[in-house]
Amino acid sequence: MSSGPGAASAPAPDPHDSPPTSDAPAVRPARKSSMFSSLTVRNYRLFFMGQVVSNIGTWMQRIAQDWLVLSLTGSSAAVGITTALQFLPMLLFGLYGGVLVDRLRKRPALLVTQSAMALTAIALAVLTLTGHVQVWHVYVAAFAVGLATVVDNPARQSFVSELVGPGQLQNAVSLNSANFQSARLVGPAVAGLLITGVGTGYAFLFNGLSFIAPLTGLLLMRARELHVVERAPRGKGQLREGVRYVTGRPELIWPIVLVGFVGTFAFNFPVYLSAFADDVFHAGAGAYSMFNTLMAVGSVAGALLAARRGTARLRLLIVAAMAFGALEILAATTPTLWMFALLMVPLGLFGMTVNVTTNTSIQMSTDPAMRGRVMALYMMIFLGGSPVGAPIVGWITDTYGARVGLAAGGTVAALAAAVIGLILARVGNLRLSVGWHRGHPRVRFVPREQQEALAPAA
């Protein structure tokens, strides 16, 4: 793997499509690969298969945890507090986690973090199955998982590049997302059956045992086949160095700002969907599970489309974020359960497009030696915004209703995408171009010089 800047590992953007100043972050892989090409790498295949099992358990615990808190308290705000506690460590310590990840070997670090999360799930299962669980136990467990995530998230994100190398990075990132969201098709459905049949404790137990799969995969990997990046030496000012690196590059800082708004206000689905299932449609845990499952269908489609796509352009990120916000506003107004449920599919698709496009463009535009800190900052903003947003949207949902809460989140996402899109266009010296292409209307940003050169001919 090259030790130089990540952006240098990909070809330059097409100057006829958009200028380098704007689409430099929208880097492309060295070659367009098939949808599942990264699975030919043995180490990545072990990683992928382990995550299949573990992700199912993770989704089961998410559903069970949210429903357990709602059952114990009857409050959407309490669900929001649980979500906030799970992501609060990322907000507080995320950057320090990135510094550690750049210093540590990724595989041993993941063995420790995955083991810690397994033990936390098993402890919560024991408390629930013995009838001793209280809401503060769930709060503590959520916070403990969040602490492990501080290192686990940036380590897993940056470890993917060591598994497959830069040429397969986009494909592997997209397949990881498809993996996670495919588990969302199974996990919520199984969790719904367990909750209604035998109780939430067995969902926690399954999640704890599911970590055996990724731990086994990590142990079976061949170290000599990893694309190892030279670790950052211990030194002063590494955290500030990472922040300066990001803030000095518009192609990194503005996508991170955008996903910060989206993650803080629009991605709080544990609050929104549990409230719609319980308070709006009075349909119980089965409907909550169905909403998550249908959203996963769209998310899998979005991830697989990203795996086939040869680019990770910022203009796609802006359009997807605006569509995502608009769909949330539309969903908030739907009168029936089935109309609301069907909208979960496109919501999942556009939400996943935002996620994968941001993740891929940031990783491929980042120097490998800085990737842990950059990805930690990205995850801190994206996931760590929940401690701020979840209680707020939970309070709005409890006070004004689930429809107002969801519409407010969608409005924030759409407005943030529009404003940041204009900022990136200004930074890239672009202008809006509206025209026709092969019989279809086309709206895009083009360099000002190109538009001015074409203006007299028009």
Side-chain angles (χ1 to χ4, degrees), residues 84-168:
L85 287 170
Q86 186 159 332
F87 296 117
L88 181 61
M90 181 64 72
L91 181 63
L92 297 177
F93 312 118
L95 287 177
Y96 295 97
V99 172
L100 283 174
V101 167
D102 280 336
R103 293 176 182 172
L104 297 173
R105 292 164 58 202
K106 308 299 187 296
R107 187 162 60 143
L110 287 171
L111 286 168
V112 172
T113 57
Q114 297 275 296
S115 298
M117 288 189 281
L119 292 174
T120 301
I122 291 172
L124 191 56
V126 171
L127 285 169
T128 307
L129 291 171
T130 57
H132 293 97
V133 70
Q134 299 178 38
V135 69
W136 71 268
H137 292 143
V138 186
Y139 289 164
V140 171
F143 188 76
V145 170
L147 285 174
T149 301
V150 167
V151 174
D152 187 80
N153 258 341
R156 277 190 297 107
Q157 297 286 338
S158 54
F159 189 49
V160 172
S161 64
E162 295 188 15
L163 291 170
V164 300
Q168 298 274 26

Side-chain angles (χ1 to χ4, degrees), residues 180-354:
F180 187 69
Q181 297 302 328
S182 296
R184 195 174 179 179
L185 294 172
V186 179
V190 176
L193 292 174
L194 288 176
I195 291 170
T196 56
V198 294
T200 56
Y202 287 97
F204 299 136
L205 180 61
F206 182 95
N207 183 45
L209 296 176
S210 72
F211 282 96
I212 294 173
L215 290 171
T216 302
L218 288 167
L219 292 171
L220 291 176
M221 288 178 185
R222 296 170 182 164
R224 66 181 181 276
E225 295 178 6
L226 294 174
H227 300 255
V228 179
V229 175
E230 184 178 351
R231 286 176 283 158
R234 183 182 297 272
K236 294 183 179 179
Q238 290 179 321
L239 190 153
R240 291 192 300 273
E241 181 187 8
V243 174
R244 284 198 302 268
Y245 180 84
V246 172
T247 55
R249 304 184 65 174
E251 70 271 21
L252 295 179
I253 185 61
W254 287 114
I256 290 175
V257 170
L258 174 57
V259 298
F261 279 105
V262 174
T264 300
F265 297 103
F267 262 89
N268 279 288
F269 289 110
V271 177
Y272 296 138
L273 299 188
S274 61
F276 266 85
D278 196 47
D279 299 331
V280 177
F281 299 119
H282 310 288
Y288 181 49
S289 176
M290 179 182 66
F291 295 156
N292 280 277
T293 300
L294 289 172
M295 184 172 288
V297 171
S299 298
V300 171
L304 292 177
L305 286 173
R308 288 180 59 89
R309 193 179 298 122
T311 59
R313 297 189 178 280
L314 289 185
R315 67 184 180 197
L316 175 62
L317 171 62
I318 299 299
V319 171
M322 292 182 67
F324 179 75
L327 282 167
E328 283 200 339
I329 296 171
L330 178 62
T333 65
T334 54
T336 67
L337 183 149
W338 291 109
M339 290 177 65
F340 181 84
L342 289 175
L343 281 174
M344 295 300 102
V345 176
L347 263 174
L349 189 151
F350 283 104
M352 182 52 55
T353 302
V354 170

